[in-house]
Amino acid sequence: MRFTPEELEAARDRLVPDVVASGLHVLFCGINPGLMTAVTGHHFARPGNRFWPVLHAAGFTSRRFRPDEQEELPAHGLGITNVVARATARADELTAAEYREGGRLLAEKVARLRPRWLAVAGVTAYRVAFDDKHAAIGPQERTLGDTRIWALPNPSGLNAHWTLQTMAEEYGRLRAAAFATGDPV
C-alpha cells in the first residue's frame, strides 16, 4: 500500500501500540516508530526494513510474517515495543533526553512484563537510553531485574553494513539463548 507524503507527515508523533504479553522469551525493542509504522499501526512496516525477513531467517518463526501479522508474535514467545514511543521520519529527530526517558519507561515495562530477554534493535539507541557508552552488539552485562539484554543491529535498510545474512546470524545467536533450556549466554 502506498501513502502520500501528506498521509505520512500526518502520522508524525503518533503512538503505535506495543505487541506484548507477560513472560515472553524475547521482547524486541525498536528505536521508535517510523512514519510508515505509524500510518499502518504495524511495527517495522517500511518495505525496506529487514526485521520480518531476519526474524524468519534467524529461526524465530517458521515462515516470514508480514507486519500486519504482528499480533501472532506473542504465541511464539515474542513481542515488540520501542525505546521512544513517538513516530518520526528519522531516528535522528529524537533527543538524548527522549532516549533516556524512553530507557526509564522501558525498564518499567520490562519489570511489569518480565520477558526473558530484551532485544534492543539498535546499539546506539541502547547506549544512549541506558547510558552505556561502550555497549557493543551482543549480550550485555546489564540486566533489568531477571531480564537479560541483547543489543542487536538495527534492521533498517539504511544499516547497509549488516547484510541480511550477518543480521540473521546475530539474531540467531539471541534465539539460541532465548529458547535454550539451560542458562542463557
Side-chain angles (χ1 to χ4, degrees), residues 26-60:
V26 180
L27 177 58
F28 288 98
C29 181
I31 297 170
N32 77 307
L35 298 182
M36 182 71 72
T37 288
V39 167
T40 64
H42 305 303
H43 293 273
F44 301 104
R46 185 175 266 313
N49 192 292
R50 298 172 290 176
F51 177 78
W52 299 102
V54 165
L55 205 63
H56 172 61
F60 279 105

Side-chain angles (χ1 to χ4, degrees), residues 28-103:
F28 288 98
C29 181
I31 297 170
N32 77 307
L35 298 182
M36 182 71 72
T37 288
V39 167
T40 64
H42 305 303
H43 293 273
F44 301 104
R46 185 175 266 313
N49 192 292
R50 298 172 290 176
F51 177 78
W52 299 102
V54 165
L55 205 63
H56 172 61
F60 279 105
T61 58
S62 60
R63 64 176 177 81
R64 181 176 165 179
F65 282 32
R66 299 182 316 266
D68 65 341
E69 296 176 305
Q70 67 187 14
E71 296 303 326
E72 295 181 34
L73 290 179
H76 296 272
L78 310 173
I80 305 176
T81 190
N82 288 288
V83 174
V84 177
R86 76 177 182 95
T88 61
R90 297 177 321 277
D92 66 6
E93 295 175 40
L94 303 172
T95 67
E98 284 179 290
Y99 279 110
R100 286 189 299 273
E101 176 64 6

Side-chain angles (χ1 to χ4, degrees), residues 122-146:
V123 69
T124 302
Y126 172 77
R127 288 175 183 151
V128 178
F130 291 98
D131 193 30
D132 186 350
K133 295 175 185 74
H134 303 291
I137 296 294
Q140 305 302 303
E141 290 298 318
R142 174 191 307 259
T143 62
L144 296 173
D146 292 334

Side-chain angles (χ1 to χ4, degrees), residues 24-26 114-118 146-148 177-180 182-184:
L24 297 168
H25 287 278
V26 180
R114 302 182 61 186
R116 185 168 185 189
W117 286 90
L118 172 67
D146 292 334
T147 299
R148 298 283 314 269
F179 289 91
D183 290 332

